[in-house]
Amino acid sequence: MPPPLTVTFSAGPAGPWRIERLTQVAGAGLPAATHLAMADLPGASWRLRGVVSHPRYSTAAELKTLAGVQAGLGRPEATCAALIPIRKSEAWWSMAQDERRAVFEDRSRHIALSMKYLPAIARRLHHARDLGEPFDFLTWFEFAPEHEAAFDDLLAELRASPEWTYVEREVEIRVRRID
């Protein structure tokens, strides 16, 4: 089995993605920056690290369905992206995994509601909690400009779900790839 993929998101004066908007959604924000890279760059305003790990809350059937419709990252037409770091409350982490799964999917329908936005919106989840990072999850989304409204709808639906009552810190970083 290959080792987990560790990714560092660095914000600073250079990088392949231009930061168009950095929004403090809940809790403390992040310092302003003009560019973002998926690399550990010197002189970064901030760095966030995460690990692409095994799926934690998905069933085998959900994984099979996702694999059949989810697009990969790096598509040429996907010139828009968003990095959304999230930290959940201790109340979330004090629950057993099956209890978190119940909130995540049974009550919030996180996977089910996200399915209708595939394959237009691609995503990759990075786990950061066990690395001692300031956020628990870093989710990277990529989409074509014509799908930005759909991405906004996806975020609105997720943020209106019971799961989001456990979010204590969230930042939304919208970027556009520099050609």
Side-chain angles (χ1 to χ4, degrees), residues 73-88:
L73 299 177
R75 296 171 293 157
E77 70 275 12
T79 59
C80 297
L83 173 62
I84 302 186
I86 291 175
R87 184 177 67 222
K88 291 192 173 175

Side-chain angles (χ1 to χ4, degrees), residues 23-29 85 87 135 164 167-172:
T23 306
Q24 176 183 337
V25 178
R87 184 177 67 222
F135 294 94
W164 248 251
V167 172
E168 64 181 26
R169 186 175 182 200
E170 178 184 0
V171 179
E172 181 180 328

Side-chain angles (χ1 to χ4, degrees), residues 115-148:
M115 288 282 194
K116 66 184 173 186
Y117 297 99
L118 302 176
I121 300 167
R123 64 106 183 107
R124 183 169 67 196
L125 178 65
H126 308 84
H127 297 269
R129 180 176 174 84
D130 292 338
L131 299 176
E133 291 290 304
F135 294 94
D136 298 325
F137 306 100
L138 312 173
T139 307
W140 176 254
F141 299 92
E142 291 181 4
F143 47 91
E146 62 267 22
H147 299 298
E148 189 163 15

Side-chain angles (χ1 to χ4, degrees), residues 7-130:
V7 177
T8 300
F9 293 93
S10 297
W17 297 89
R18 182 181 66 252
I19 296 176
E20 295 191 327
R21 188 170 73 225
L22 196 150
T23 306
Q24 176 183 337
V25 178
L30 290 168
T34 59
H35 292 78
L36 183 70
M38 280 189 231
D40 191 357
L41 298 178
S45 302
W46 48 263
R47 291 178 186 84
L48 299 174
R49 292 180 317 127
V51 175
V52 178
S53 182
H54 64 278
R56 309 273 168 97
Y57 303 124
S58 303
T59 66
E62 289 163 346
L63 290 173
K64 183 177 181 181
T65 301
L66 281 168
V69 295
Q70 184 166 287
L73 299 177
R75 296 171 293 157
E77 70 275 12
T79 59
C80 297
L83 173 62
I84 302 186
I86 291 175
R87 184 177 67 222
K88 291 192 173 175
S89 67
E90 283 307 312
W92 175 263
W93 294 109
S94 68
M95 289 188 278
Q97 186 158 335
D98 63 326
E99 293 172 309
R100 290 193 303 269
R101 162 68 192 193
V103 174
F104 176 81
E105 189 59 23
D106 299 343
R107 291 181 40 216
S108 298
R109 310 291 300 148
H110 188 117
I111 296 169
L113 75 83
S114 299
M115 288 282 194
K116 66 184 173 186
Y117 297 99
L118 302 176
I121 300 167
R123 64 106 183 107
R124 183 169 67 196
L125 178 65
H126 308 84
H127 297 269
R129 180 176 174 84
D130 292 338

